[in-house]
């Protein structure tokens, strides 16, 4: 099973990394455009802020799944570093199970949030609806869920070549 699942997770990892990177790049371009428009042209545009918020939400939730798989998420390990190896592994499993529960909760509620807001327009950006702007939440939760399942079934993937891209440490 790992022979089929892991290559798909590698592709998903790279795709999610690209999406979150593009969202971050877009956000860093859009914000100065809004500032320039407001303070230099003396004309406040309505679209830069909602686009930047959509990019920030995309970067945050899809990027969180990427950082979870890479093991670069925030973790306080002061206590667990001092435990024997078998307790370290037990704590790691417990954390993964807690992550699974939280991710399932996030997936459930974010899906229904999108569903409830699907037809509500965004005043400043009428091309999209509020439900569409929140789509990165359930998508990011679903990607994170797949990475959690991968970690529970096959262990940490932090040392895979595709995950180590760009790590020089």
């Amino acid at each position: 099973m790992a022979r089929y699942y892991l290559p798909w997770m590698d592709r998903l990892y790279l795709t999610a990394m690209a999406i979150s990177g593009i969202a971050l790049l877009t956000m860093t371009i859009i914000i100065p455009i809004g500032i320039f428009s407001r303070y230099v042209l003396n004309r406040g545009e309505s679209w830069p802020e909602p686009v930047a918020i959509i990019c920030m939400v995309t970067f945050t939730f899809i990027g969180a799944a990427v950082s979870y798989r890479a093991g670069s998420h925030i973790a306080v390990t002061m206590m667990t570093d001092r435990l024997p190896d078998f307790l370290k592994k037990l704590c790691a499993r417990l954390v993964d199970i807690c992550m699974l529960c939280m991710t399932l909760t996030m997936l459930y509620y974010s899906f229904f949030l999108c569903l409830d807001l699907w037809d509500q327009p965004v005043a400043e950006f009428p091309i999209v609806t509020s439900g569409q702007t929140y789509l990165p939440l359930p998508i990011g939760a679903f990607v994170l869920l797949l990475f959690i399942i991968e970690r529970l079934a096959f262990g940490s993937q932090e040392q895979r070549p595709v995950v180590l891209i760009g790590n020089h440490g």
Side-chain angles (χ1 to χ4, degrees):
M1 173 109 169
R3 187 176 71 178
Y4 300 109
Y5 194 79
L6 295 178
W8 279 104
M9 291 302 100
D10 288 344
R11 289 183 196 104
L12 180 61
Y13 174 79
L14 290 174
T15 303
M17 188 186 312
I19 289 170
S20 62
I22 290 168
L24 181 62
L25 178 66
T26 304
M27 184 175 67
T28 58
I29 292 170
I30 295 291
I31 290 173
I33 289 172
I35 292 170
F36 180 81
S37 173
R38 180 174 306 273
Y39 293 108
V40 176
L41 301 178
N42 206 20
R43 183 182 80 209
E45 300 290 340
S46 63
W47 61 270
E49 185 180 353
V51 171
I53 290 171
I54 292 168
C55 290
M56 183 183 64
V57 169
T58 302
F59 169 72
T60 301
F61 284 92
I62 295 179
V66 169
S67 86
Y68 177 81
R69 186 174 196 232
S72 59
H73 57 291
I74 296 172
V76 179
T77 60
M78 182 174 55
M79 284 185 53
T80 56
D81 287 344
R82 289 167 175 73
L83 294 174
D85 284 339
F86 76 95
L87 285 177
K88 283 182 188 177
K89 290 178 184 177
L90 180 68
C91 287
R93 280 287 190 210
L94 183 63
V95 166
D96 290 336
I97 291 169
C98 289
M99 281 292 297
L100 180 68
C101 294
M102 287 302 301
T103 302
L104 287 171
T105 302
M106 185 172 71
L107 180 61
Y108 177 82
Y109 283 107
S110 63
F111 174 79
F112 285 107
L113 174 70
C114 288
L115 203 59
D116 290 344
L117 298 176
W118 195 257
D119 294 323
Q120 182 179 345
V122 176
E124 301 88 2
F125 199 55
I127 296 172
V128 297
T129 66
S130 291
Q132 293 166 342
T133 63
Y134 287 116
L135 270 176
L137 278 75
I139 292 171
F142 183 71
V143 172
L144 181 58
L145 178 66
L146 292 175
F147 290 156
I148 292 169
I149 292 169
E150 175 188 50
R151 184 176 293 215
L152 286 169
F154 308 113
S156 174
Q157 302 301 309
E158 296 171 19
Q159 298 304 316
R160 289 185 67 77
V162 71
V163 175
L164 292 174
I165 293 172
N167 286 348
H168 302 290

